[in-house]
Amino acid sequence: MPRYGRTVAIIVVLITIAGLILGFQKISIANFERGADTPLGLSLGLDLQGGIHLVYQADMTDPDTGERSEVTSDQMEALRRTIERRVNSSGLGEPIIQLLGNDRLLIQLPGITDRDRAVSIIGETARLEFKRRSSQVPRDVTEITAEDILSVSVDVLPNEPDPAETPVPAETPEADQTPTPAEPEDPAPLKLLIEFSDSGVENMQAIFDNLNLSYMMTLASLQAQDPQLRPPSILEILIQGEQQQRFQVNALSVKRVDDNTFAFDIPLEPDTQEQPSADVARERVGNDPELTFVEIQAIVDEDVGLSGDDLSRAFPGQHSASQRPIVNLEFNDRGTRLWGELTTDIVAKAERTGQRDQIAIFLDDTELISPFVQSPITAGTAIIEGGDFTIERVRDIALNLEAGRLPIPITLIQERDVDAILGADSLAKSVVAGFVGLGLVLLFMTLYYRLPGLVASIALLIYAALVLTIFKILPVTLTLSGVAAVILSIGMAVDANILIFERMKDELRAGRTLLSSINIGFDRAWPAIRDGNVSTLITCAILFWFADQLGASIVQGFAVTLAIGVVTSMFTAIIVSRTLLRFIATVHLTRKNRLWLPSGGSELSQPIA
């Protein structure tokens, strides 16, 4: 026992580890995660569990000329590797990716049902931009000139009563001789009516649309109780007439009356907060006023030249205070310099003017966050956080930022959900059939070879556990062809044991001792086992190379699975079987002729020594 104790201990440890790995459907240790919602947590291929089937085509069309250039094989290979890296890192499973022709790529994602996320991970490139955001920024509306203003007047809108008209008192009922004073009606609001030329109308409509958009954004922020609520954009009108007058209007104070005329609310008197009379308003405007427009923009996002190209690293994490998912960013030398200059300038402006700018962070033109800068940041780091961020979301963002742009643009030309070739019922029946077949093999080996056959059966079970463990840890995606390779490798494992046992039988009949027969039997069977398995591994390598060149993922999976099975079978046949036989040979109760020879001990000239 002491001679083989260390090897036996190693075998026991391997069996224990394999049992633990296969016993838990999913394994998560630190950043190491394996397993799925499948039998034993194994990764099953598209033909076994269904999934998503996508076909992309390289789109090398020049957007300016419309000319299409040829795609090189190097570009397609770089595209395949980039997408494979993205999918593997995203947790979408083990992809099956192969080239179709010269410019197409087939992608199969077994067991994946979230089609939108898969397409986003594969085909989109995250474009990260940092912009400086200033608020209440005035802009002279130079696109509207004096020639664009055809007429200016003060009046009420059509179908509304003129405020100069005296309200008619209400009639007093005959039964009541006491006169009742009539309540005056509120006068119609006065409007500044400006008639524009065709070009002026177009430019004013664009400004009006901006005012509306800004107002709606403010309203949405108010409803969402956004702590960074900002007032909407406004339009300031400076009137140089009989008197100089300046007033401001927002989206609610502007109305387009007809094709060429806009109406603007006349501001209330600052002292009484009442509307001025029509005569006073017309006097202030004058007969031929000169108008100047200034758009006071709620926010202005200025490009500062800082983008995702200036990143050196992006990775997911959690905020130390709030524990919310975040994306950590680390800039390269250029990005660190620009980031430091930007934050320093923002802080300096706040100290000088009291106005604190923000940094708006956009991903694919979608604003993620617009934080205020409290102090200069010169270390070259930043974080991105958002109210809708989840752990999966920040992982996807970091992945796209890390992966960078695809080497060539691609277009999704075909997509479909694929049902499993073998349904759940058929797969379950196949598993039962496999266990029945394995049981028959074990029964045959035990009945014919007796004690060595029992040892071989135990070694075969250990082999199956080790192979499944390797498939789960790597992980290896099992397809129908992979299952066939596993079955084939089981047959080869049994074949190695048969060669060993036949050699042992010859040595025992020649009168050698039991331990000597075991050692010589293994030594003489080893060349045949080695040559057979090595030739199989060479065949697997050839199949893998051709499959990789031709894009035949099914053949490639068969070759990988068979190679793993062959190597594992060599280990169990030479190490496990040999150690167990040596250990059993030291037990006195097992040293009987009929336990070691298929035909019993009658053919031996003497009992086993």
Side-chain angles (χ1 to χ4, degrees), residues 63-108:
D64 298 326
T65 64
E67 296 181 357
R68 183 179 177 86
S69 57
E70 293 295 330
V71 184
T72 66
S73 58
D74 291 340
Q75 288 175 322
M76 291 300 297
E77 179 61 23
L79 174 66
R80 185 189 69 81
R81 295 184 183 278
T82 300
I83 292 179
E84 185 175 23
R85 184 173 65 251
R86 283 188 175 188
V87 177
N88 287 338
S89 302
S90 68
L92 285 176
E94 187 73 15
I96 299 173
I97 304 176
Q98 66 181 76
L99 300 175
L100 298 178
N102 297 325
D103 60 352
R104 292 188 180 186
L105 199 66
L106 168 65
I107 303 171
Q108 295 180 341

Side-chain angles (χ1 to χ4, degrees), residues 245-494:
Q245 187 176 10
R246 183 190 302 268
F247 61 93
Q248 297 174 339
V249 296
N250 58 24
L252 298 180
S253 305
V254 184
K255 183 178 181 181
R256 186 168 180 174
V257 179
D258 54 36
D259 291 344
N260 291 85
T261 305
F262 283 83
F264 303 86
D265 285 353
I266 297 290
L268 302 177
E269 295 288 1
D271 298 334
T272 63
Q273 291 300 307
E274 294 181 353
Q275 179 178 270
S277 66
D279 292 338
V280 171
R282 290 186 179 112
E283 181 180 355
R284 290 174 179 172
V285 171
N287 295 325
D288 190 18
E290 180 182 346
L291 271 60
T292 304
F293 300 92
V294 177
E295 182 183 6
I296 301 180
Q297 304 166 95
I299 58 172
V300 173
D301 294 331
E302 177 189 358
D303 191 0
V304 294
L306 189 63
S307 68
D309 294 336
D310 299 306
L311 282 178
S312 61
R313 187 185 177 202
F315 57 96
Q318 285 185 311
H319 197 284
S320 58
S322 64
Q323 299 302 311
R324 292 182 176 179
I326 60 173
V327 179
N328 296 277
L329 305 179
E330 294 180 1
F331 296 97
N332 56 22
D333 293 340
R334 178 180 181 276
T336 299
R337 177 177 58 81
L338 292 176
W339 183 255
E341 292 175 355
L342 175 61
T343 54
T344 301
D345 188 58
I346 289 177
V347 172
K349 177 183 176 182
E351 294 175 349
R352 185 175 63 253
T353 66
Q355 184 178 1
R356 190 175 298 276
D357 292 348
Q358 300 165 265
I359 297 180
I361 304 176
F362 293 85
L363 183 68
D364 292 335
D365 296 325
T366 300
E367 181 179 336
L368 295 176
I369 188 175
S370 52
F372 290 97
V373 178
Q374 305 297 334
S375 60
I377 305 173
T378 58
T381 60
I383 65 170
I384 302 177
E385 58 181 343
D388 61 340
F389 275 14
T390 62
I391 294 177
E392 183 179 85
R393 172 68 172 152
V394 298
R395 185 170 67 239
D396 289 350
I397 292 175
L399 169 65
N400 277 347
L401 296 177
E402 278 280 283
R405 297 185 179 276
L406 293 176
I408 53 177
I410 57 176
T411 303
L412 181 62
I413 61 174
Q414 182 182 359
E415 60 175 304
R416 69 173 186 267
D417 294 331
V418 179
D419 293 330
I421 295 176
L422 293 179
D425 183 61
S426 298
L427 186 59
K429 292 179 179 178
S430 299
V431 172
V432 172
F435 278 114
V436 171
L438 181 60
L440 292 175
V441 172
L442 300 181
L443 182 62
F444 168 78
M445 291 291 294
T446 304
L447 292 178
Y448 185 77
Y449 286 102
R450 301 186 179 180
L451 189 57
L454 179 61
V455 171
S457 299
I458 296 173
L460 198 58
L461 293 176
I462 296 175
Y463 158 81
L466 293 178
V467 166
L468 293 177
T469 301
I470 294 172
F471 288 168
K472 186 173 182 178
I473 292 298
L474 288 182
V476 174
T477 300
L478 275 179
T479 61
L480 286 175
S481 61
V483 172
V486 172
I487 295 173
L488 180 58
S489 63
I490 290 176
M492 298 184 66
V494 173

Side-chain angles (χ1 to χ4, degrees), residues 173-190:
E174 294 181 359
D176 187 359
Q177 300 299 323
T178 304
T180 302
E183 294 182 1
E185 298 179 1
D186 292 334
L190 286 172

